[in-house]
C-alpha cells in the first residue's frame, strides 16, 4: 500500500504554524480577527492596526488574556465580519437557533 503524501507545513521555531499576512487577509475582503485564549476567552478585533507584511502568527505571542493572564493566543481571520450584512446576520441567526 503506498504511503500518503506528507505535506510540509511551514512552522515557526516554537512549532506554531506560519499563517497568512494581514495584507493577504485584507485582499480577501476581511478586516477583523478573532483572538482565542486556551482558557476559552475570546475577542473580536479590527486588524487595521497591523501592517500588511505582518503575519497573523507573528502577533499571537504578544496577546495576554484578561481572564486568566496566559500569554499567547490563536489569531484567526473573522470571516463573518467580512461578509455582506445579509449573509453575516443570517449565519448568526442560524447559530442562535441551534443553541
Amino acid at each position: 500500500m503506498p504511503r500518503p503524501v506528507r505535506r510540509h507545513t511551514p512552522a515557526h521555531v516554537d512549532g506554531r504554524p506560519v499563517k497568512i499576512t494581514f495584507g493577504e487577509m485584507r485582499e480577501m475582503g476581511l478586516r477583523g480577527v478573532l483572538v482565542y485564549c486556551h482558557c476559552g476567552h475570546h475577542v473580536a478585533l479590527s486588524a487595521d492596526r497591523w501592517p500588511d507584511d505582518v503575519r497573523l502568527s507573528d502577533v499571537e505571542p504578544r496577546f495576554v488574556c484578561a481572564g486568566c493572564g496566559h500569554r499567547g493566543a490563536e489569531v484567526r481571520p473573522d470571516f463573518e465580519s467580512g461578509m455582506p450584512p445579509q449573509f453575516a446576520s443570517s449565519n448568526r441567526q442560524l447559530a442562535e437557533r441551534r443553541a
Side-chain angles (χ1 to χ4, degrees):
M1 176 182 232
R3 297 177 86 181
V5 176
R6 296 188 74 189
R7 297 173 193 231
H8 173 71
T9 304
H12 290 278
V13 176
D14 61 5
R16 292 177 297 113
V18 173
K19 296 184 178 177
I20 64 171
T21 65
F22 284 98
E24 292 168 334
M25 190 182 84
R26 290 183 190 109
E27 287 174 5
M28 293 186 283
L30 303 173
R31 307 292 299 175
V33 292
L34 300 172
V35 181
Y36 292 92
C37 179
H38 72 83
C39 74
H41 286 101
H42 60 277
V43 65
L45 299 172
S46 168
D48 293 340
R49 67 182 83 188
W50 292 287
D52 286 345
D53 62 330
V54 174
R55 295 189 176 279
L56 276 65
S57 52
D58 293 340
V59 299
E60 289 177 332
R62 299 179 187 177
F63 286 97
V64 177
C65 180
C68 72
H70 180 263
R71 177 173 289 278
E74 183 173 347
V75 179
R76 303 178 195 164
D78 185 355
F79 290 100
E80 282 200 9
S81 71
M83 290 183 177
Q86 71 270 18
F87 296 119
S89 63
S90 65
N91 283 346
R92 287 192 185 112
Q93 290 170 356
L94 181 62
E96 289 171 3
R97 287 186 205 144
R98 290 181 185 166

